[in-house]
Amino acid sequence: MRQILSVAALLLTGCLNLPAQIEIPADFEALLQKTGVEIFFPLESTYRNWGSGENEWFNCEFAIRSRKEKIEIRYHLQPYLDSDPTADLPHLNCMRLLTHLASNDEDAVIAAHVLSDTDLEDYRADWGKLYFFRPKRSFGDYANCQLLALYREGVGMACVFYFFDEPSVNLEDRLREIRFAAPLKQR
């Protein structure tokens, strides 16, 4: 009987430590639907809601962070608008955004990496780039920021900001947690 009670206590204790799920606000959920974006939030219980990462330079719609991994992730989704003359120019929109958010220090550098066709296929995007830069302190109080920018023609743009001081071993995995919902049509 003692063994059964011990096993039951262990099972109950395990259930009490279930990872907390990230709660997605209704307005962000609606924006995900509108832009056709899927986000696969980390399953680790170390990630928690962090509001919108609101600051004086640029407000994102949603943010999460992990103290254990020492990463903050902010999401900015921009639905496609026919009335926007730059809607089909993701490279222009990204550079405008980066010049606004990156540090203006003389030694600050912005590095850009064009995503491969295979990566674009995985993200279900028509265009994408990965940027690395030092953010303005008032935008993010971290030493580094990595921006994953994805664009889907006629659908919109998704920007994910990864803030960190030292690169985490999990950073590469975090880059794979977003994509456009519908597969690209064969061209």
Side-chain angles (χ1 to χ4, degrees):
M1 183 66 165
R2 258 184 194 205
Q3 289 177 332
I4 293 173
L5 289 174
S6 297
V7 170
L10 282 174
L11 289 174
L12 183 59
T13 303
C15 291
L16 296 175
N17 291 325
L18 289 174
Q21 289 191 340
I22 294 170
E23 293 180 31
I24 303 170
D27 55 341
F28 186 63
E29 182 67 44
L31 194 55
L32 287 169
Q33 296 292 326
K34 191 173 185 179
T35 54
V37 170
E38 295 176 336
I39 297 176
F40 307 98
F41 292 106
L43 295 176
E44 294 86 358
S45 61
T46 62
Y47 276 87
R48 301 279 188 256
N49 288 42
W50 191 241
S52 62
E54 196 170 302
N55 63 77
E56 68 182 81
W57 287 100
F58 185 75
N59 293 328
C60 293
E61 290 80 28
F62 188 64
I64 59 174
R65 77 172 183 166
S66 168
R67 288 184 183 182
K68 181 180 177 187
E69 290 184 15
K70 298 179 181 164
I71 298 174
E72 180 178 330
I73 305 172
R74 296 182 197 167
Y75 302 91
H76 172 65
L77 305 177
Q78 188 173 356
Y80 183 86
L81 296 172
D82 286 325
S83 60
D84 181 359
T86 65
D88 289 320
L89 304 170
H91 55 288
L92 176 70
N93 289 325
C94 278
M95 285 313 296
R96 182 175 31 200
L97 189 60
L98 285 167
T99 56
H100 182 62
L101 301 176
S103 171
N104 292 328
D105 293 342
E106 283 185 28
D107 63 337
V109 175
I110 297 174
H113 172 73
V114 177
L115 298 179
S116 70
D117 289 342
T118 304
D119 286 335
L120 289 176
E121 221 173 272
D122 290 343
Y123 289 119
R124 300 175 175 173
D126 294 307
W127 178 91
K129 275 195 179 178
L130 189 61
Y131 298 94
F132 182 85
F133 63 99
R134 186 179 335 149
K136 289 181 177 159
R137 282 284 174 212
S138 52
F139 174 54
D141 196 20
Y142 294 85
N144 303 298
C145 184
Q146 199 162 2
L147 165 62
L148 174 63
L150 302 170
Y151 169 78
R152 180 84 179 261
E153 191 177 319
V155 176
M157 188 160 197
C159 294
V160 186
F161 298 92
Y162 303 89
F163 294 92
F164 54 94
D165 290 321
E166 295 294 324
S168 165
V169 294
N170 299 319
L171 188 57
E172 185 68 29
D173 293 337
R174 302 296 164 245
L175 293 172
R176 298 288 175 198
E177 295 175 343
I178 187 169
R179 70 177 181 190
F180 286 97
L184 289 170
K185 295 177 182 163
Q186 296 297 321
R187 296 176 187 193

